[in-house]
Amino acid sequence: MKRFITIMLTLQICLASFTAHAESINYYVIAKQAMPFQIISNNHQHSGMVSDIVSSVFADNYTVNYHTYPFNRMISELESGGEKNWITYGSPNWGGVQAANLSDKPIYTVSHSILTHAKSDLVYRDFKDVKDKVFILLNGFDYPSLQPFIDSGEINELRVKDYAAAFRILDRMPQDAIFVEMTSRIKYNLKLLSRNLNDYKLQDFSALIPSYPIYLALDPNMDSDIQKFINQQLSILSKSGTLQEIINRYI
């Protein structure tokens, strides 16, 4: 009888484990604009800081389904509910669905910079130094710290579809345009597009857009056991140094 009870308990544990791990994770990826956080190769392989972290979190435990959309479409999909147990990345600073339910621990700290052409004589100290410049910003992304200046007309914004377009405008308007974006993404895309770093200058912009943490953003209705598992795995990855190793691959 005792052996029978032991066998039944073992079967129940195995069944519970199978049930939990049978759940699929639906990972949402931004097409083209999110490098080095999310990178999609020509043969549709996924890499990047966030993608590698997600892959490490769920290695050997869950099936991860990838969903790739342009940024605005992705947000619309998630605001409509998205696929069950979805995950992407986000920050409290961004608000909306990318801030509704975040991992316990941040995965990276974001800083912003001004990129100018090397021919520019701009030295940034405060807002008056840039108020007469054309601000190049990426389509689809919000910049809450800049929005009041945009709304008041103090900032003349020029939206572009990608980094290549931003760099071309700096080349054509070296004295008049500035590109405001995450420092890590500027550096990565300059290198990716084989731009000569000596042709441009980076200046810290944290006085106007303070540095802030980003997290894994989770489905507000995510299964509680999966959410607990994610936070446990992030803690393990952080303590082992794996999280920093992943970040160091791209930054």
Side-chain angles (χ1 to χ4, degrees), residues 3-24:
R3 184 182 177 194
F4 174 77
I5 292 173
T6 301
I7 292 171
M8 291 303 294
L9 285 172
T10 302
L11 286 172
Q12 287 177 348
I13 291 169
C14 290
L15 182 61
S17 177
F18 174 80
T19 301
H21 292 175
E23 293 275 14
S24 291

Side-chain angles (χ1 to χ4, degrees), residues 53 56 236-247 249:
I53 289 169
S56 296
I236 292 170
L237 292 173
S238 178
K239 289 177 182 176
S240 69
T242 303
L243 205 61
Q244 191 59 50
E245 286 176 11
I246 291 171
I247 291 167
R249 292 174 196 165

Side-chain angles (χ1 to χ4, degrees), residues 150-170:
I150 294 171
D151 293 342
S152 68
E154 292 179 84
I155 282 181
N156 179 20
E157 64 170 331
L158 176 59
R159 293 282 179 166
V160 295
K161 65 178 182 177
D162 55 30
Y163 292 88
F167 301 150
R168 285 196 299 269
I169 293 169
L170 288 180

Side-chain angles (χ1 to χ4, degrees), residues 28 73-82 86 88 97-98:
Y28 281 76
R73 171 74 186 281
M74 185 194 83
I75 295 300
S76 296
E77 291 286 330
L78 297 183
E79 287 177 342
S80 299
W86 61 258
T88 187
V97 70
Q98 286 182 289

Side-chain angles (χ1 to χ4, degrees), residues 85-146:
N85 293 323
W86 61 258
I87 185 170
T88 187
Y89 69 106
S91 172
N93 293 54
W94 298 346
V97 70
Q98 286 182 289
N101 184 29
L102 301 173
S103 57
D104 288 347
K105 294 179 177 294
I107 58 174
Y108 183 66
T109 299
V110 166
S111 64
H112 281 71
S113 289
I114 293 173
L115 184 72
T116 59
H117 197 278
K119 294 178 181 178
S120 172
D121 55 10
L122 172 68
V123 177
Y124 176 74
R125 292 174 295 268
D126 54 42
F127 183 70
K128 72 176 186 301
D129 296 321
V130 294
K131 63 185 303 182
D132 62 338
K133 303 297 183 183
V134 175
F135 278 64
I136 305 168
L137 305 173
L138 288 174
N139 275 339
F141 289 94
D142 294 327
Y143 301 84
S145 298
L146 301 182

